[in-house]
Amino acid sequence: SSRGTHLHAGLEKAFRGGGAGSICLFTDGAPTVGPGPHEIERAVFQWNYLRGARIVGASFAGDVAKPKNLCSRLARQHFGWVRVLDRK
């Protein structure tokens, strides 16, 4: 198997796994394996269209909270927020 950040696979599993009202996306940044950011955004929109789950992001990487970051965009588009965790 490939090593890296496969956000699409993790999100797909979360959405297909049941009826959770919130999904916590804990990531170190951008996807490095699997579909790219635009494909992920489209897939999450389709999976969450009628479900309305909140996506909450958390990361140790400071750039995750920047507006152009995929995790940040997904959180804003799906009723959530993103937090950068302190490494201390």
Side-chain angles (χ1 to χ4, degrees):
S1 74
S2 297
R3 295 183 58 96
T5 303
H6 199 321
L7 291 178
H8 186 276
L11 287 164
E12 181 176 27
K13 190 170 187 175
F15 278 103
R16 303 242 189 257
S22 296
I23 294 171
C24 182
L25 179 59
F26 188 81
T27 179
D28 62 351
T32 58
V33 177
H38 297 294
E39 292 83 4
I40 292 171
E41 283 183 284
R42 274 182 275 177
V44 170
F45 176 81
Q46 290 174 347
W47 297 328
N48 204 26
Y49 179 67
L50 294 175
R51 183 173 175 176
R54 178 183 316 268
I55 295 179
V56 178
S59 178
F60 288 113
D63 66 337
V64 78
K66 292 182 180 175
K68 291 186 178 182
N69 182 281
L70 175 62
C71 185
S72 181
R73 289 195 317 262
L74 287 172
R76 283 194 322 271
Q77 293 165 1
H78 298 278
F79 321 106
W81 59 88
V82 64
R83 295 290 183 262
V84 177
L85 304 174
D86 192 351
R87 291 182 184 228
K88 294 179 186 178

